[in-house]
Amino acid sequence: MEEGQTKILIPVSVQDDIAGQIKMIWDVIKAPLLVPLLNVGVYLCLVMALMLFAERVYMGIVIILVKLFWKKPEQRYRYEPFQDDEESGTSHYPPVLIQIPMYNEKEVYKVSIGAACGLSWPSDRLVIQVLDDSTDPAVKQMVERECQRWASKGINIVYQIRENRTGYKAGALKEGLKRGYVKHCEYVAIFDADFRPEPDFLRRAIPFLEGNSDIALVQARWRFVNADECMLTRMQEMSLDYHFTVEQEVGSATHAFFGFNGTAGVWRIAAINEAGGWKDRTTVEDMDLAVRASLRGWKFVYLGDLMVKSELPSTLRAFRFQQHRWSCGPANLFRKMVMEIVRNKQVKFWKKVYVIYSFFFVRKIIAHMVTFFFYCVVIPLTILVPEVHVPLWGAVYIPCIITILNSVGTPRSIHLLFYWILFENVMSLHRTKATLIGLLEAGRVNEWVVTEKLGDSVNAKNNKTNVTKAPKRPAFKFGERLNVLELGFAAFLFFCGCYDYVNGKHNYFIYLFLQTLTFSIVGFGYVGTIV
């Protein structure tokens, strides 16, 4: 050994001593503190799992009954299609406003404006309003030129800008309704910048509003043009298809209520005004308006066979921002409105129960929390604390049934079900964090990041699936891809998996290692690159 260098040697007996002391401290803490806490955690998670299970079974039973015995919306409500009449001209068509809110949408502005201008509705009874909150002067110029191009063809289209983005989308929609040139409009159809309605959209939706004075909203289903682009979009399709196929359908058929999806819907303007108009107090202004309108007795109709093409986020960064908004906003709205719903006297008791318990509490809060805490925290911890027992029905049987019920919306992706479970468990961490922020009204509660769109285009002639590849995604730096919290949980689950492999009795290590891999993929930000 060279002079000046020292080598510290710890005797084996000392190492054993340290390990023995750590084990002793662990045993001292475990029995009086960790075991009772973990037992409480298991009981709470089992209760939440049973709540979610009961809600999913209820929804499954109702959707079967709806499909077998319920009449279609056209038969449940007064519905008379519009017919062209040479004598009366277009006077029997109600004036309709189309609102297209935009924010730096250079990839999709042309196709969305073109789809709105192609709607089959008398041009003298239609006003198209492009609400552009873009901050990029070049994008503003392009959007304005596109509006001018359509205006030169005789389309009644107006390019509208604001001096600031106060209220974000809600502020833009509210400001648009104040314009004098739309005061004569009875209905307003809203389409986000990546949504492309078919020409007959208004002809199929407006008759419900015309024939039924108590209907405030007609909501269409989303159809995803880039669902096959990568694994990330396939996972989103599975989650959203359940929402549209089951949740929206059941809410519409049983209580004439569901949450407005913010786009691809037609509102009665009088209902918007009666409900208090657009508000920007949460990041889910669409759901806020829907709940307020429902509390005033208005009814909603969901049309599952009326589909509007749209685009799914195909980068993990964009998807995470979207999921934060979709998880934080409802929780924050629940905090703000729960007592208003309880005190309301204009709606029936069972509808209030449905809105508070099923719509908000179970779907928007419990579903995220039980997925994360039970399957990513409590069950792994029981491996380290074997004194705590999780019954097999709670750990395996109930999750399997819930998963099968969730998969009914997208049967073509049934082979991806296992990976979808792992991915949803990972995203439950992000959603739970956002839900807690919303409930506690902390931190990023009012954060609004517009979902990035890459601009798919439809090419029916050259592509059998009617979908073309999106432009190349912008390259992100490695640091921007990194999600530290997910990587931390990957390390925790890997440790629990190794411990179970060596000392455990449950063989959970197979699930834990697979979950570790999925947490790692998301942690390094590479989900969107898997095709």
Side-chain angles (χ1 to χ4, degrees):
M1 184 180 296
E2 296 181 7
E3 189 177 351
Q5 291 183 338
T6 58
K7 188 173 182 180
I8 300 174
L9 298 175
I10 301 176
V12 175
S13 59
V14 174
Q15 293 179 23
D16 292 340
D17 224 21
I18 294 174
Q21 289 180 6
I22 293 174
K23 186 177 184 305
M24 184 181 68
I25 293 171
W26 171 254
D27 290 337
V28 168
I29 295 174
K30 183 171 64 172
L33 182 62
L34 294 182
V35 171
L37 283 176
L38 198 52
N39 272 320
V40 171
V42 169
Y43 295 142
L44 288 176
C45 287
L46 287 174
V47 170
M48 289 193 292
L50 286 171
M51 291 169 64
L52 183 60
F53 172 74
E55 196 266 347
R56 289 292 189 266
V57 171
Y58 160 76
M59 300 287 278
I61 293 172
V62 173
I63 196 62
I64 291 173
L65 294 175
V66 167
K67 295 298 183 183
L68 292 178
F69 304 109
W70 259 249
K71 295 179 180 179
K72 291 185 177 181
E74 292 84 354
Q75 298 169 321
R76 295 202 310 269
Y77 300 97
R78 287 186 57 194
Y79 182 86
E80 294 182 11
F82 286 96
Q83 302 291 338
D84 293 332
D85 190 338
E86 293 183 1
E87 294 184 3
S88 62
T90 61
S91 60
H92 63 293
Y93 284 86
V96 178
L97 170 66
I98 306 293
Q99 288 188 316
I100 310 175
M102 290 192 174
Y103 177 74
N104 294 334
E105 309 285 5
K106 66 178 181 178
E107 302 289 355
V108 294
Y109 74 94
K110 277 190 177 182
V111 70
S112 60
I113 293 175
C117 292
L119 288 168
S120 176
W121 200 257
S123 58
D124 62 327
R125 312 294 282 177
L126 188 67
V127 180
I128 299 174
Q129 191 180 60
V130 178
L131 304 168
D132 191 9
D133 277 356
S134 298
T135 54
D136 187 336
V139 175
K140 280 187 175 182
Q141 189 176 40
M142 288 189 294
V143 176
E144 186 174 13
R145 283 178 181 172
E146 184 67 11
C147 293
Q148 291 172 350
R149 186 173 75 85
W150 282 102
S152 67
K153 296 181 179 182
I155 302 296
N156 188 5
I157 184 170
V158 180
Y159 177 71
Q160 199 76 57
I161 60 173
R162 298 189 295 162
E163 294 182 359
N164 55 64
R165 290 188 67 212
T166 303
Y168 302 108
K169 180 180 174 181
L173 295 172
K174 184 177 182 178
E175 186 70 21
L177 289 177
K178 292 180 179 179
R179 301 295 172 176
Y181 59 84
V182 304
K183 293 298 182 182
H184 66 291
C185 294
E186 297 179 38
Y187 311 115
V188 55
I190 302 168
F191 301 104
D192 283 353
D194 59 314
F195 278 72
R196 313 154 197 184
E198 296 296 332
D200 65 346
F201 178 86
L202 293 178
R203 288 182 177 271
R204 295 178 63 184
I206 296 294
F208 286 98
L209 296 163
E210 277 289 279
N212 305 273
S213 60
D214 57 347
I215 291 179
L217 167 67
V218 177
Q219 174 71 61
R221 179 175 175 173
W222 301 357
R223 175 187 169 195
F224 311 113
V225 299
N226 65 331
D228 292 324
E229 185 179 333
C230 61
M231 186 66 77
L232 177 61
T233 54
R234 292 292 293 271
M235 298 298 103
Q236 293 176 69
E237 182 192 36
M238 293 179 71
S239 299
L240 288 171
D241 275 353
Y242 177 82
H243 168 68
F244 286 109
T245 306
V246 179
E247 292 178 346
Q248 298 278 82
E249 193 78 63
V250 169
S252 176
T254 57
H255 299 284
F257 169 78
F258 46 83
F260 175 45
N261 295 319
T263 179
V266 187
W267 275 92
R268 188 185 299 273
I269 294 178
I272 295 178
N273 294 333
E274 186 183 327
W278 294 102
K279 294 184 179 181
D280 60 355
R281 56 180 175 173
T282 70
T283 56
V284 284
E285 74 295 324
D286 43 13
M287 186 182 295
D288 187 352
L289 176 61
V291 174
R292 285 185 281 114
S294 177
L295 292 180
R296 284 160 179 78
W298 290 99
K299 295 180 180 180
F300 306 158
V301 175
Y302 170 71
L303 302 179
D305 58 351
L306 179 58
M307 300 188 184
V308 179
K309 296 172 184 174
S310 64
E311 181 184 335
L312 291 164
S314 53
T315 65
L316 183 62
R317 180 183 174 87
F319 180 60
R320 282 169 60 86
F321 278 126
Q322 181 200 68
Q323 292 302 297
H324 174 85
R325 189 171 75 246
W326 286 6
S327 302
C328 178
N332 190 233
L333 182 62
F334 178 68
R335 170 192 170 116
K336 285 179 164 65
M337 291 203 70
V338 61
M339 292 312 300
E340 182 180 344
I341 298 170
V342 170
R343 290 191 294 263
N344 184 274
K345 297 180 180 179
Q346 291 184 252
V347 297
K348 296 179 181 179
F349 171 77
W350 288 113
K351 186 171 183 177
K352 289 195 285 186
V353 171
Y354 174 79
V355 174
I356 293 175
Y357 177 78
S358 183
F359 180 78
F360 272 117
F361 192 59
V362 176
R363 293 188 221 161
K364 310 302 182 185
I365 298 174
I366 293 298
H368 304 323
M369 290 189 174
V370 70
T371 302
F372 171 63
F373 285 116
F374 198 19
Y375 307 115
C376 300
V377 178
V378 171
I379 289 179
L381 282 176
T382 59
I383 294 170
L384 305 179
V385 186
E387 293 87 346
V388 178
H389 173 67
V390 179
L392 197 61
W393 59 265
V396 179
Y397 299 147
I398 282 183
C400 287
I401 296 173
I402 292 174
T403 301
I404 292 170
L405 292 173
N406 281 343
S407 67
V408 298
T410 317
R412 78 183 188 95
S413 297
I414 196 74
H415 61 289
L416 297 174
L417 196 57
F418 187 72
Y419 185 72
W420 177 77
I421 297 169
L422 297 173
F423 178 70
E424 284 293 294
N425 287 349
V426 176
M427 288 308 301
S428 68
L429 164 61
H430 187 65
R431 291 169 182 147
T432 297
K433 182 176 69 172
T435 299
L436 292 174
I437 289 173
L439 286 174
L440 300 175
E441 210 160 32
R444 299 162 55 197
V445 65
N446 290 318
E447 180 186 68
W448 182 285
V449 178
V450 176
T451 304
E452 175 193 38
K453 305 170 188 73
L454 298 179
D456 274 6
S457 61
V458 177
N459 187 344
K461 293 182 180 179
N462 301 326
N463 195 315
K464 294 180 180 179
T465 60
N466 290 346
V467 180
T468 57
K469 283 286 184 180
K472 187 177 180 181
R473 301 181 188 86
F476 294 113
K477 295 180 181 179
F478 181 75
E480 292 178 343
R481 285 184 176 272
L482 215 60
N483 299 304
V484 178
L485 199 56
E486 280 80 356
L487 291 176
F489 263 90
F492 164 69
L493 293 172
F494 180 72
F495 172 76
C496 292
C498 292
Y499 187 91
D500 186 54
Y501 180 75
V502 175
N503 304 306
K505 302 176 182 179
H506 304 292
N507 291 327
Y508 286 156
F509 66 87
I510 300 173
Y511 156 74
L512 291 172
F513 287 150
L514 290 171
Q515 193 67 78
T516 297
L517 178 62
T518 311
F519 263 99
S520 300
I521 292 172
V522 175
F524 286 113
Y526 284 97
V527 175
T529 63
I530 302 174
V531 180

